[in-house]
Amino acid sequence: MHLKHLRTLLSPQDGAAKVTCMAWSHNNAKFAVCTVDRVVLLYDEHGERRDKFSTKPADMKYGRKSYMVKGMAFSPDSTKIAIGQTDNIIYVYKIGEDWGDKKVICNKFIQTSAVTCLQWPAEYIIVFGLAEGKVRLANTKTNKSSTIYGTESYVVSLTTNCSGKGILSGHADGTIVRYFFDDEGSGESQGKLVNHPCPPYALAWATNSIVAAGCDRKIVAYGKEGHVLQTFDYSRDPQEREFTTAVSSPGGQSVVLGSYDRLRVFNWIPQRSIWEEAKPKEITNLYTITALAWKRDGSRLCVGTLCGGVEQFDCCLRRSIYKNNYSGG
């Protein structure tokens, strides 16, 4: 797979105006971007901006600028968006079926520390990480939240496997923890999986391995039980900076990692059971990549930056039309 630039969805600003999080809806019809000004912008599948709404603080007395949005995810039915905030709260907004529908808060979950990352893997289940190190679950049906597991270390990243039945959390002390709602007969272990050499801010769960990277400028692919499969070391490359975010393709066969002015693309080669690096995508003046979101049908990758830009790329790979649906490997 290689990336081809399609269009700029949001133009970068002159200073830091970080894109804090992005998400594609499950039905591929909506794409959401949240910027440093805590406003959610909604785009259609063609990249046209169609709607927006402002998020709100947990307590108005602290003012509208008292928090940052750290995590965002669509519900599996694509009608709601969960927003995780640093002022210790998760709001769920009903955004409706049509553009311009009124945005209504339908759930709120108050926490004991800042929400640092968030996923919505199953119908009523939102999974999120906290600054205090806990990974918790919020149930939108019962309006209650509970702890899945606790650690002593800030949750820096959270990702799911392709089916959404398993989660991985990365922590500030380098720990990567795995948890299954259903291991789907794989028999893979739960709990602490590996101790990565640095905080794994860039964490992706692909089909055949887990890919982690961070400030040491090394990308490590771990096997299913945490042994090192491959290491890609860029620590001596003066052009490379820390890895800030990672995403797996919906099918789990490719992984993209973002750093500074650069996207690194890795493709799984099943015949040899290894990751192979494709030509990196170098983009001058893109600056630090802060968010990545892959469209569920595999056709598009969106990239958010420190300066508030959002770029859309086409994911080119063995294309086929299967039962009238687009499928990219």
Side-chain angles (χ1 to χ4, degrees):
M1 186 204 78
H2 63 277
L3 299 173
K4 179 180 151 203
H5 187 261
L6 281 181
R7 64 189 299 182
T8 299
L9 300 190
L10 193 58
S11 297
Q13 300 183 27
D14 286 340
K18 181 179 181 179
V19 173
T20 56
C21 40
M22 306 189 303
W24 276 98
S25 64
H26 289 246
N27 64 4
N28 296 308
K30 291 178 178 170
F31 172 62
V33 175
C34 190
T35 60
V36 76
D37 62 3
R38 296 161 290 278
V39 172
V40 177
L41 308 174
L42 292 166
Y43 294 80
D44 65 19
E45 60 190 313
H46 307 296
E48 297 297 328
R49 194 163 120 195
R50 303 292 295 272
D51 212 346
K52 70 175 188 178
F53 66 94
S54 295
T55 61
K56 57 175 286 187
D59 191 330
M60 282 305 284
K61 74 180 181 196
Y62 297 116
R64 291 196 173 275
K65 297 184 177 178
S66 59
Y67 65 98
M68 274 178 64
V69 174
K70 295 285 280 185
M72 179 168 65
F74 277 90
S75 60
D77 68 1
S78 303
T79 64
K80 301 183 181 86
I81 293 179
I83 302 282
Q85 302 179 180
T86 56
D87 56 352
N88 307 3
I89 199 163
I90 291 168
Y91 284 114
V92 179
Y93 291 83
K94 193 173 191 340
I95 59 167
E97 302 280 348
D98 300 313
W99 301 112
D101 281 0
K102 189 169 166 55
K103 313 296 180 283
V104 182
I105 291 171
C106 52
N107 299 88
K108 62 179 181 181
F109 302 95
I110 297 164
Q111 302 304 315
T112 50
S113 66
V115 178
T116 60
C117 39
L118 179 146
Q119 298 279 339
W120 197 331
E123 192 174 4
Y124 303 113
I125 293 171
I126 298 165
V127 178
F128 56 96
L130 296 179
E132 67 191 56
K134 287 178 181 166
V135 172
R136 307 198 80 210
L137 179 155
N139 186 315
T140 57
K141 198 173 184 182
T142 63
N143 220 21
K144 291 187 164 63
S145 50
S146 55
T147 299
I148 304 174
Y149 55 87
T151 72
E152 298 298 310
S153 184
Y154 183 106
V155 186
V156 300
S157 51
L158 189 66
T159 189
T160 64
N161 59 1
C162 294
S163 69
K165 304 277 178 68
I167 56 172
L168 278 180
S169 59
H171 299 263
D173 64 359
T175 306
I176 298 172
V177 180
R178 180 167 61 190
Y179 177 85
F180 287 105
F181 296 106
D182 175 1
D183 74 359
E184 301 169 280
S186 71
E188 293 172 22
S189 64
Q190 294 199 119
K192 180 178 170 180
L193 188 67
V194 70
N195 212 27
H196 192 67
C198 65
Y201 277 91
L203 183 65
W205 192 344
T207 305
N208 290 288
S209 54
I210 288 151
V211 177
C215 59
D216 65 356
R217 295 180 291 165
K218 294 177 183 176
I219 298 169
V220 182
Y222 294 100
K224 292 182 176 174
E225 291 303 330
H227 57 283
V228 175
L229 289 179
Q230 283 170 277
T231 302
F232 298 88
D233 186 349
Y234 307 98
S235 60
R236 295 175 186 279
D237 180 352
Q239 302 302 312
E240 190 56 273
R241 306 220 191 153
E242 65 185 282
F243 292 102
T244 45
T245 182
V247 66
S248 169
S249 64
Q253 299 300 311
S254 299
V255 171
V256 172
L257 297 98
S259 56
Y260 182 91
D261 279 0
R262 186 181 290 112
L263 292 161
R264 289 199 182 271
V265 180
F266 293 85
N267 300 310
W268 180 255
I269 311 300
Q271 299 85 346
R272 293 156 55 207
S273 293
I274 60 163
W275 288 99
E276 191 171 274
E277 185 174 10
K279 188 169 185 269
K281 194 79 186 169
E282 318 258 352
I283 307 137
T284 313
N285 300 326
L286 192 66
Y287 298 105
T288 300
I289 293 164
T290 56
L292 292 169
W294 215 309
K295 195 175 178 184
R296 304 273 172 168
D297 66 5
S299 66
R300 302 278 185 271
L301 178 71
C302 289
V303 177
T305 72
L306 184 68
C307 295
V310 177
E311 306 293 341
Q312 191 176 66
F313 293 85
D314 182 67
C315 306
C316 313
L317 183 69
R318 308 183 298 277
R319 288 264 166 102
S320 59
I321 300 294
Y322 177 69
K323 292 183 180 170
N324 295 323
N325 283 327
Y326 170 89
S327 66

